[in-house]
């Protein structure tokens, strides 16, 4: 492996240490190399905390002057929640900076590199850029399209069912798969389900990675008519994250009042045929600084989300079980697509095994 790639791989590993704690900021890791030795490492650990470059400078075991900084994202050049990192790098006397990718944020893109070059610092960009873009795919969409990144997650049997004909769904997938889902919940800003899921399962929608209390995502319930019971767990549990009800003007005034008294945030988004406007919902979530949504809806909401074109990635867990039943629910329902040539496809596929289950992951291709 080429030297720059070797060190950049370590920067990407460090960046992943901020999963679920930096939203809506990017995941960034940095290290400083001098005389062939790593003398400092750091990552952006939490929103509002020190950026990776500054953390590495503070953690240095010796003088960094003349050293090479490796970072997976272009150092920022503007004042945000923290001062510019490029400025700190210049003051520290770093002689070379190796960067995986330019910052897609229009406030920064190219400006950090320009600042470093103007200060006489050698810069190299594009090292492991593909890996860096994949790591920060949530941030990239959030700052360029001003929408949260949406991941559709489903667990189904080998014959494509998400529950028996009688509605039993505990448990389709195994423990390993379920723990992976809790890890996902711990990383995203929000989790979204339809009201039918609440009525059927009364889920808490919390994150418990490794069986421990995690970073609970904001719970979003899509409920066009306000059918959600007031005693639902998503309304009454003590999770730190709040609950948003995405509804329409069809909700009764009395029910709206009760929900508001419970601390639920209501977003009224009238869409076609009395349904919630899902594209409008994404715009509202962006305004609330929610950069990512894990969609764990039933077949109806999943179908609506795909039809609206809001899903970026699909993660489908397949368990080696067969239950049958013409009335058993499937992951994507609705009217469906008429011709096979028009079927939505997944690109950039990856397949991972969790005990007996298989996870197929890929990006939705709408065209």
């Amino acid at each position: 492996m080429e030297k720059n790639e070797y060190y950049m791989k370590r920067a990407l590993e460090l960046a992943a240490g901020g999963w679920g704690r930096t939203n809506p900021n990017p995941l960034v890791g940095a290290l400083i190399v001098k005389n062939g030795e790593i003398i400092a490492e750091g990552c952006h650990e939490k929103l509002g905390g020190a950026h990776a470059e500054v953390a590495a400078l503070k953690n240095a075991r010796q003088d960094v002057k003349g050293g090479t900084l490796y970072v997976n994202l272009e150092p920022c050049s503007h004042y945000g929640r923290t001062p510019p990192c490029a400025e700190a790098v210049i003051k520290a006397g770093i002689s070379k900076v190796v960067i995986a990718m330019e910052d897609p944020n229009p406030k920064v893109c190219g400006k950090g590199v320009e600042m470093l070059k103007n200060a006489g610092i050698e810069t190299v960009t594009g090292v492991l850029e593909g890996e860096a873009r994949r790591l920060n795919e949530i941030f990239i969409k959030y700052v360029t399209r001003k929408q949260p990144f949406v991941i559709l997650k489903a667990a189904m049997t080998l014959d494509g069912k998400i529950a028996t004909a009688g509605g039993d769904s505990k448990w389709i997938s195994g423990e390993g798969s379920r723990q992976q889902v809790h890890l996902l919940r711990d990383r995203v800003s929000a989790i979204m389900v339809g009201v039918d899921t609440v009525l059927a399962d009364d889920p808490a929608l919390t994150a418990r990675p490794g069986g421990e209390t995690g970073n609970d995502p904001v719970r979003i319930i899509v409920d066009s008519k306000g059918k959600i019971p007031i005693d639902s767990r998503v309304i009454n549990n003590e999770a730190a994250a709040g609950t948003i009800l995405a509804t329409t003007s069809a909700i009764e005034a009395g029910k709206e009042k009760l929900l508001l008294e419970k601390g639920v945030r209501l977003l009224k988004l009238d869409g076609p045929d009395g349904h919630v406007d899902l594209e409008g919902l994404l715009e509202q979530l962006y305004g609330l600084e929610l950069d990512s949504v894990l969609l764990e809806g039933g077949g109806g909401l999943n179908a609506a989300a795909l039809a609206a074109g809001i899903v970026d990635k699909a993660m489908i867990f397949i368990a080696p079980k067969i239950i049958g039943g013409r009335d058993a629910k499937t992951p994507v329902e609705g009217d469906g697509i008429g011709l096979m040539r028009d079927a939505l496809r997944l690109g950039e596929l990856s397949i991972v095994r969790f005990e007996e289950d298989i996870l197929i992951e890929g990006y939705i291709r709408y065209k």
Side-chain angles (χ1 to χ4, degrees):
M1 183 182 292
E2 195 265 336
K3 180 180 68 174
N4 282 348
E5 291 184 354
Y6 174 82
Y7 289 125
M8 189 60 70
K9 184 177 180 181
R10 178 55 184 161
L12 291 167
E13 291 172 350
L14 291 167
W19 265 122
R21 306 301 183 267
T22 66
N23 316 59
N25 279 0
L27 296 165
V28 187
L31 61 142
I32 300 170
V33 177
K34 188 174 181 179
N35 298 324
E37 177 189 359
I38 297 175
I39 63 169
E41 294 185 336
C43 78
H44 183 36
E45 294 183 354
K46 62 181 181 179
L47 185 66
H51 285 192
E53 302 93 323
V54 174
L57 291 170
K58 289 181 178 178
N59 294 336
R61 298 190 300 272
Q62 57 180 272
D63 185 6
V64 303
K65 188 173 182 180
T68 299
L69 171 71
Y70 289 85
V71 62
N72 62 294
L73 189 69
E74 175 184 6
C76 63
S77 57
H78 70 292
Y79 281 87
R81 289 181 171 91
T82 61
C85 293
E87 189 175 284
V89 171
I90 293 167
K91 288 181 178 178
I94 294 292
S95 63
K96 181 178 179 179
V97 179
V98 181
I99 301 165
M101 62 174 284
E102 290 189 343
D103 194 324
N105 187 340
K107 294 181 180 178
V108 179
C109 189
K111 298 175 183 175
V113 171
E114 183 181 5
M115 183 182 292
L116 295 173
K117 287 182 175 179
N118 289 341
I121 296 175
E122 179 186 354
T123 62
V124 177
T125 59
V127 177
L128 297 186
E129 182 174 356
E131 291 88 335
R133 295 185 71 84
R134 178 67 62 86
L135 178 70
N136 270 311
E137 60 191 6
I138 288 173
F139 177 71
I140 292 170
K141 182 187 179 186
Y142 182 75
V143 297
T144 59
R145 295 175 54 187
K146 299 188 183 305
Q147 289 184 344
F149 189 88
V150 179
I151 304 167
L152 187 158
K153 166 264 163 183
M156 69 180 190
T157 60
L158 199 59
D159 55 337
K161 310 296 185 181
I162 61 173
T164 66
D168 182 33
S169 61
K170 291 184 173 58
W171 295 102
I172 286 176
S173 56
E175 179 64 25
S177 298
R178 297 199 297 275
Q179 279 305 312
Q180 181 66 16
V181 172
H182 279 287
L183 183 61
L184 283 168
R185 290 182 179 183
D186 184 63
R187 291 177 171 183
V188 297
S189 294
I191 180 171
M192 184 162 70
V193 301
V195 69
D196 288 343
T197 297
V198 176
L199 294 172
D201 301 331
D202 193 23
L205 302 181
T206 53
R208 300 182 301 280
E212 303 293 333
T213 300
N215 186 46
D216 289 333
V218 173
R219 283 76 54 84
I220 303 168
I221 314 301
V222 179
D223 181 6
S224 58
K225 294 181 173 60
K227 296 190 298 182
I228 188 169
I230 291 297
D231 60 354
S232 299
R233 294 174 71 196
V234 290
I235 294 175
N236 293 282
N237 68 21
E238 297 180 357
T243 299
I244 294 172
L245 193 78
T247 188
T248 68
S249 55
I251 188 171
E252 295 180 355
K255 187 65 167 291
E256 181 178 350
K257 182 175 182 294
L258 288 172
L259 290 167
L260 291 173
E261 288 174 352
K262 286 279 189 178
V264 176
R265 179 192 288 266
L266 266 68
L267 299 178
K268 292 184 182 180
L269 300 150
D270 291 332
D273 302 320
H275 297 299
V276 171
D277 176 6
L278 294 178
E279 290 183 83
L281 175 58
L282 287 199
E283 293 176 5
Q284 292 286 322
L285 298 181
Y286 171 82
L288 296 173
E289 294 193 332
L290 298 176
D291 67 356
S292 47
V293 176
L294 182 61
L295 175 58
E296 293 195 42
L301 180 57
N302 289 345
L306 288 167
I310 68 168
V311 179
D312 298 288
K313 177 190 283 188
M315 300 182 69
I316 311 297
F317 293 87
I318 303 174
K321 301 174 183 178
I322 298 174
I323 57 176
R326 67 174 58 89
D327 296 324
K329 299 289 187 181
T330 61
V332 182
E333 296 185 340
D335 294 332
I337 289 172
L339 298 174
M340 187 58 69
R341 66 170 180 253
D342 297 326
L344 295 176
R345 296 179 180 273
L346 297 186
E348 300 178 61
L349 290 177
S350 66
I351 300 174
V352 181
R353 186 166 176 174
F354 292 93
E355 299 169 347
E356 293 185 337
D357 300 339
I358 293 172
L359 167 64
I360 297 179
E361 180 177 343
Y363 297 85
I364 304 293
R365 292 178 174 172
Y366 289 100
K367 293 181 182 180

